[in-house]
Amino acid sequence: MDDKWKTLEDATGLSVARDVSLKRFTSIGIGGLAGGAVTVEREKDIEKVFAAAAKLRIPVKVLGGGTNVVFSDTGFSGLLVRLGDSFKKIEIRFPRVIAGAAVHLSALITRTMESGLSGVEKLAGIPGTLGGAIRQNSGAWETSISDTVRTVTFWDIQDRRMRTLPKDDLAFRYRTSLFAERPAVICAVEFELQPAPRDVVLAEVNTRMRQRATSQPPGRSAGCIFKNPPDQPAGRLIDQAGLKGRRVGGLLISDIHGNFFINDGRATFADFERLVADVQTQVRERCGVKLELEVEIIRENGNQTKDV
Ligand code: EPU
């Protein structure tokens, strides 16, 4: 085997972990091995990693909390890039907040609440990091993260430079953003929040956590698998089609919520593909609706698909 990883290490000065299990990096726990994985701490690191990977023709995938992605059983032959602790800072500039993209949503909610700010608390209970939440425009209870975003600062992979764009230029819509189309490393997010008493914000957090605990299942999952079609929630359609409890290999449609697939620890990507196809076929036949994936699939060469 050529030592492309050693060449990449020499070019960047960063250490590359080899043959890393992707199960460990994703909440659903499916996937083979990643060829290499690197953690970046500075803007300069990002620049170097992308330059070296392009030269070596190594595909690159930036991963946040891994809560909305499913990797194939053959893994990903390229380089996983993860943001290190220096991207976990939260700066309060009341009522604005600037947070690094590796900040967990839960940390952002706690910190803004403690600072007497409201605006992100309805998202309480959503797992994952801020970068992933922005890319996917995560949301819950009629609120999306984009509602309170002011600007996003990112490394533009195509243009090879840092950019800061205002919310209006970021194409936020239901569960998508500019970043679904334009490859980028989201680095920081600026929010415009509202002053609010801590107790009021805490009450909202508790309400949402309780709602979530009763309507969404515990266990290894990637959250909702399908986007909600315009007229009916996907979970209800799957439920009405009588599919709850259906199992393929180690993957099970939750009895609590039809749009959650739970990995019992043995699930493979092949199980995932079969269960997705099965659900799509049955829901189309019974309800006349084509369900589209909400989660992102990443294949061996790094190609992302929105279908199995
Ligand atoms: N329902 C059923 N059966 C089920 C599941 C749901 O009948 O098995 C019904 C519920 O009773 C309710 C309706 O469907 O009347 C909607 O269900 P729910 O309130 O659970 O919300 P959802 O539309 O299924 C969306 C988001 C969730 C988010 C919740 C809470 C999508 C695809 N899902 O779910 O986001 O947490 O609202 O706001 O937009 C995610 O994106 O990964 C995710 C979990």
Side-chain angles (χ1 to χ4, degrees), residues 139-141 174-175 212 216 223-224 226 228 233 235-236 239 244 256-260 294:
W141 323 114
Y174 170 64
R175 293 298 193 272
R212 211 167 254 278
Q216 298 184 0
C224 286
F226 300 100
N228 278 346
R236 189 187 289 154
D239 194 353
K244 278 165 125 179
I256 298 172
H257 196 299
N259 205 3
F260 282 68
E294 199 233 80

Side-chain angles (χ1 to χ4, degrees), residues 46 90 102 112 121 135 152 167 172 175 193 209 235 290:
I46 300 176
I90 301 176
T112 54
E121 61 275 11
R135 185 193 183 288
V152 174
K167 173 186 173 165
F172 285 120
R175 293 298 193 272
L193 301 179
M209 293 299 278
K290 166 90 201 282

Side-chain angles (χ1 to χ4, degrees), residues 22 41 47 57 73 84 88 95 102 119 124 180 182 208 222 229 238 290:
L22 289 160
E41 294 290 354
E47 189 175 345
R57 297 181 186 282
D73 292 331
K88 283 189 177 160
R182 191 174 182 95
R208 299 310 172 180
I238 296 166
K290 166 90 201 282

Side-chain angles (χ1 to χ4, degrees), residues 128-185:
T129 61
L130 199 42
I134 289 292
R135 185 193 183 288
Q136 182 73 5
N137 194 15
S138 295
W141 323 114
E142 273 78 57
T143 302
S144 295
I145 191 144
S146 59
D147 295 351
T148 47
V149 166
R150 192 160 181 275
T151 65
V152 174
T153 299
F154 59 97
W155 172 259
D156 189 321
I157 295 173
Q158 263 162 19
D159 289 4
R160 295 192 211 150
R161 64 185 174 110
M162 289 298 282
R163 301 177 69 188
T164 298
L165 286 180
K167 173 186 173 165
D168 288 351
D169 293 348
L170 293 170
F172 285 120
R173 293 185 306 281
Y174 170 64
R175 293 298 193 272
T176 191
S177 72
L178 171 77
F179 303 110
E181 307 295 328
R182 191 174 182 95
V185 186

